[in-house]
Amino acid sequence: MKPSIIISWIAQLVAVVIMGQSLYFKFTAHPASVAIFTDIGMEPYGRILIGVIELIACLLLLRSSSAHYGALLGLGTMAGAVVGHFTQIGWDGERGELGILALVVLASCAIVLYIRRMDLPFISHALKESEKG
Amino acid sequence: MSAKIAIDLHKLAKTVNIAIPTLAVLFFLAGWKLSFYFHFGTVTFILLTLLNLFYTRIQSGHTLLRNFGIMGQARYMMESIGPELRQYFFANDTEERPFDRNARSEVYRKAKNIDSAASFGSQNEFDETEIKIRHSMYPVLHSEQVPFSLTFGEERGIENAYTVKRPFIISAMSYGALGEHAVRALARGARQAGIPMNTGEGGHPKYHLMEGCDLIFQLGTAKFGARNEDGTLDDSKLAALASQDSIKMVEIKLSQGAKPGKGGLLPKEKITDEIAELRGVSKDKDVLSPPFHPECVGPQNTVSFIKRVQDLTKLPVGIKLCLGRPAQFEELVVEMLTQNIFPDWITVDGAEGGTGAAPKAFIDGVGMPLYPALKLVNDILTKHGVRDRLKLLASGKLISPEKQMVALCLGADAIYSARGFMLALGCIQALQCGNNTCPIGITTHDPELQRGLDIAVKSTRVVNYVDNLEHDLEELLSAAGCRSTRELSYDHLFVPVGANLGAMPPQSSSTSSSSSSSIFA
């Protein structure tokens, strides 16, 4: 296995573990989670919706043939989370920790996406052409 | 010019490129002040903005993307599904290549045992260049027909002469070119239909052997399965292969219709560990066979090589070639006469032939098409009085009975087909044979794609196809007033002046010593 693929797998697992454990709080309606989603006006459906999206991202990240799609989905969701922290959620106490975790997942997904960029449909062709030159 | 109501694609692209980041900002504001749900849009448009920046500012391989960004991508996206759209909606039933929908559907119907009667006339253009069969005023009853039988090697009186009872042979397709499921479905079908199958030049025919059908082992120019390190023939390996019960004949491939003058090509996308082992090659680069056998560099040693393989294998041995310069072929025949050594058959492969991957210039532009080549070969053999010393096989798009009938009239004793049988397996002509992405799992080693190809079901299709071809051929034979295929001759054909058979101008044959006596000089 190429070193870059090993790095990708580490990043995938980091993203899956962090997103995965947050699902438990989302799906069991943990008070902290409910509080955050109440703050941004998405409780309860938004909480479930985001949970489902993250679950799909986790599952996609666990197969090498679909990891790039999982990373894309994870990247999008975490970008949303970071936007939330900067606008409505804030960074106080536990929320700051959650925000840092979101940034970690965002970075992990970006790494996976970069390493597996040639798997992406359409974009990979443009990448190939420019990397050749 | 009614330019005012036309869409200006340039302006549209520029507008879109401005709209994407603008929308990202607007969605952000809406997500912040109205509802967090708007941030789904924020994220999407931020990503699109980044992508667009990459296209227009960073990459430089594609001009359209650099000038127009994501909108330029639309062209590539739509172009990429063009072949499918054309096949589904826009191409008419007689214009696709290499096989139009009518021709393909005919094979599907035969393979699925569906009646293929049509009404209201032919869809072909009844112009004046199409070769037709001339029927007799006095057709022969089916009961009067003589069953087909063809014995290879009978001319030499060898012990292992091999008899086929039906005029069809599955043409050379290696494991490597085809996946395991396809090879096994064809081999099982061949066994059930009682016809032989050519192994192709894929080395030890592991999967062909699994189903117990009669096999013709093909010795390609790289001699996979029977090669020394330097690419010459390893006598003991070939003898060992030939001693296998299932291997009934050996075919030396001199050249091939898909790429006459070039050797075989197996793209590296399709080379698995197993294939590399069966062929004895590396899996990191395309496998290229040499364009000719190192043993065969002129008529004399080509004929000697045929003799060597005949002596070694004690089986009927044929040669396969795509006709290039007829004068060179005539030289070869003269040499056969001189040495009194003949192959047990000659396969004439038309330049239109080819399951194989090949450079486009060779697929499109090199070699003689089947009909004129077959006629020339038959004429040359007849002229030298040696037509009865060997059998003649024909291959090259012979997937329908009327085409096969024409080949039989032009001198063929039996018919080789590869793509006909691939279509019987369900090939949809996706043209991906070289990419390992065949959507029906025939020319791929991807287990997920092969999963859909059920060996038991598809082998029955092969049998049905053979049964129905034979039925149609018998009907055509009756109509032509013949009791067996041996009675067919050039006289049974209507060959218009514009047909390619009529378009063979005299050719100079500067390389030939016997040019003065050449029938086409």
Side-chain angles (χ1 to χ4, degrees):
Chain A
M1 205 186 277
K2 282 194 285 183
S4 60
I5 294 295
I6 296 174
I7 295 171
S8 166
W9 266 109
I10 294 171
Q12 281 161 245
L13 292 177
V14 167
V16 168
V17 168
I18 296 174
M19 277 197 289
Q21 59 85 28
S22 83
L23 287 182
Y24 173 77
F25 299 103
K26 286 197 182 78
F27 287 141
T28 56
H30 189 276
S33 184
V34 171
I36 290 176
F37 280 93
T38 308
D39 275 5
I40 58 175
M42 288 176 90
E43 179 64 26
Y45 301 113
R47 178 167 49 83
I48 309 283
L49 179 68
I50 299 287
V52 169
I53 293 175
E54 286 181 351
L55 179 64
I56 294 171
C58 285
L59 294 176
L60 291 173
L61 276 167
L62 287 172
R63 280 187 71 194
S64 62
S65 61
S66 61
H68 51 290
Y69 292 117
L72 200 58
L73 209 53
L75 187 85
T77 322
M78 289 308 122
V82 173
V83 168
H85 278 278
F86 276 113
T87 51
Q88 283 148 284
I89 303 171
W91 299 86
D92 301 331
E94 196 194 7
R95 291 188 172 192
E97 286 165 29
L98 289 174
I100 301 289
L101 286 180
L103 281 171
V104 172
V105 175
L106 185 78
S108 301
C109 288
I111 291 169
V112 175
L113 217 49
Y114 179 75
I115 292 173
R116 296 183 182 270
R117 62 195 180 282
M118 290 305 170
D119 292 340
L120 290 166
F122 306 114
I123 301 165
S124 58
H125 293 285
L127 283 167
K128 260 178 223 162
E129 292 289 325
S130 32
E131 287 184 14
K132 246 188 265 169
Chain B
M1 288 284 285
S2 54
K4 277 180 189 164
I5 55 166
I7 297 175
D8 186 333
L9 287 176
H10 290 209
K11 269 190 192 157
L12 182 65
K14 291 221 175 341
T15 312
V16 168
N17 289 346
I18 295 166
I20 288 171
T22 312
L23 279 169
V25 173
L26 290 177
F27 269 106
F28 174 77
L29 293 175
W32 188 11
K33 296 295 171 194
L34 298 176
S35 159
F36 201 85
Y37 283 101
F38 280 105
H39 282 317
F40 281 107
T42 314
V43 171
T44 306
F45 281 99
I46 287 176
L47 290 178
L48 283 176
T49 306
L50 292 175
L51 180 65
N52 220 8
L53 281 174
F54 167 71
Y55 279 164
T56 51
R57 301 289 162 202
I58 299 175
Q59 70 86 29
S60 56
H62 292 279
T63 312
L64 266 188
L65 294 183
R66 202 165 168 82
N67 282 348
F68 301 109
I70 286 172
M71 286 301 280
Q73 177 123 53
R75 179 195 164 82
Y76 297 110
M77 290 167 88
M78 286 195 253
E79 223 175 16
S80 72
I81 53 169
E84 282 82 359
L85 288 183
R86 284 192 287 279
Q87 211 190 54
Y88 298 151
F89 301 118
F90 304 116
N92 75 38
D93 289 349
T94 58
E95 75 178 8
E96 285 172 82
R97 294 287 180 274
F99 298 101
D100 62 42
R101 187 170 292 275
N102 283 336
R104 295 202 310 272
S105 301
E106 178 62 16
V107 178
Y108 301 150
R109 282 193 289 262
K110 284 187 160 40
K112 292 178 182 170
N113 249 340
I114 300 170
D115 180 34
S116 66
S119 310
F120 212 67
S122 171
Q123 297 213 6
N124 290 353
E125 241 182 88
F126 255 63
D127 59 17
E128 286 134 35
T129 61
E130 209 162 292
I131 299 173
K132 296 272 187 295
I133 296 150
R134 298 208 283 204
H135 64 285
S136 166
M137 285 174 80
Y138 314 105
V140 167
L141 290 175
H142 273 277
S143 54
E144 294 172 33
Q145 283 186 343
V146 183
F148 179 87
S149 175
L150 190 69
T151 305
F152 294 89
E154 62 181 354
E155 296 86 353
R156 288 193 292 135
I158 56 171
E159 199 182 322
N160 295 323
Y162 177 66
T163 303
V164 291
K165 296 287 186 189
R166 312 179 96 172
F168 314 104
I169 305 174
I170 301 179
S171 192
M173 289 176 285
S174 61
Y175 172 65
L178 304 194
E180 176 196 338
H181 282 222
V183 169
R184 292 187 58 184
L186 287 172
R188 192 178 296 180
R191 175 169 54 80
Q192 289 167 356
I195 61 170
M197 176 178 185
N198 191 310
T199 63
E201 54 164 328
H204 182 77
K206 180 177 162 190
Y207 293 101
H208 293 79
L209 283 167
M210 272 184 190
E211 303 290 338
C213 69
D214 291 347
L215 291 176
I216 303 168
F217 179 75
Q218 189 177 63
L219 193 63
T221 49
K223 304 201 178 59
F224 295 123
R227 62 184 266 139
N228 289 318
E229 283 286 314
D230 62 354
T232 55
L233 181 64
D234 183 327
D235 290 16
S236 57
K237 279 188 196 157
L238 183 62
L241 272 170
S243 67
Q244 301 233 22
D245 278 348
S246 297
I247 296 182
K248 303 292 187 188
M249 310 205 279
V250 174
E251 183 177 73
I252 303 168
K253 189 187 94 173
L254 297 178
S255 59
Q256 164 182 0
K259 46 206 155 185
K262 261 192 94 64
L265 187 161
L266 186 65
K268 64 174 182 291
E269 286 78 11
K270 293 180 67 175
I271 304 177
T272 60
D273 290 326
E274 187 182 26
I275 291 166
E277 188 196 320
L278 288 173
R279 297 196 180 202
V281 295
S282 151
K283 63 176 286 196
D284 300 325
K285 52 178 196 247
D286 294 353
V287 173
L288 291 163
S289 298
F292 60 92
H293 291 267
E295 292 89 349
C296 305
V297 291
Q300 272 128 357
N301 44 37
T302 301
V303 175
S304 310
F305 185 66
I306 295 169
K307 171 79 173 148
R308 179 175 159 201
V309 177
Q310 283 177 339
D311 290 345
L312 203 64
T313 59
K314 316 243 183 320
L315 296 176
V317 173
I319 57 173
K320 169 178 179 170
L321 51 85
C322 173
L323 198 61
R325 264 178 281 176
Q328 284 184 329
F329 178 74
E330 188 162 16
E331 265 183 351
L332 188 69
V333 173
V334 170
E335 185 60 33
M336 288 174 188
L337 256 175
T338 313
Q339 296 192 30
N340 197 28
I341 291 164
F342 290 88
D344 297 292
W345 79 89
I346 295 176
T347 304
V348 180
D349 196 12
E352 63 271 58
T355 47
K360 194 154 168 49
F362 280 79
I363 288 186
D364 289 345
V366 184
M368 274 179 76
L370 175 64
Y371 288 165
L374 184 61
K375 182 172 188 313
L376 268 175
V377 165
N378 192 46
D379 286 352
I380 291 170
L381 293 169
T382 309
K383 176 195 158 200
H384 289 280
V386 296
R387 178 63 187 85
D388 56 354
R389 298 290 301 267
L390 47 78
K391 306 290 188 283
L392 212 48
L393 302 181
S395 64
K397 285 182 85 172
L398 298 177
I399 67 165
S400 58
E402 72 277 9
K403 292 240 163 84
Q404 297 175 341
M405 185 79 170
V406 173
L408 293 169
C409 290
L410 289 171
D413 290 307
I415 303 298
Y416 252 137
S417 173
R419 286 175 293 183
F421 287 98
M422 291 168 78
L423 289 165
L425 288 184
C427 164
I428 57 165
Q429 194 168 290
L431 309 180
Q432 316 226 334
C433 312
N435 308 341
N436 205 26
T437 52
C438 174
I440 34 271
I442 297 178
T443 61
T444 175
H445 302 290
D446 184 338
E448 285 180 28
L449 290 170
Q450 289 197 65
R451 195 183 65 87
L453 204 159
D454 186 283
I455 298 174
V457 172
K458 300 298 176 175
S459 58
T460 312
R461 300 265 169 91
V462 172
V463 179
N464 291 340
Y465 178 52
V466 173
D467 288 348
N468 287 314
L469 277 180
E470 190 175 56
H471 172 263
D472 281 15
L473 216 50
E474 281 170 3
E475 301 258 280
L476 287 171
L477 211 53
S478 293
C482 295
R483 295 189 310 127
S484 80
T485 53
R486 283 164 204 263
E487 291 176 21
L488 290 172
S489 69
Y490 190 62
D491 197 43
H492 288 98
L493 295 178
F494 165 67
V495 183
V497 177
N500 61 359
L501 281 180
M504 286 192 291
Q507 300 198 313
S508 71
S509 41
S510 55
T511 55
S512 167
S513 54
S514 57
S515 58
S516 55
S517 63
S518 178
I519 53 171
F520 34 76

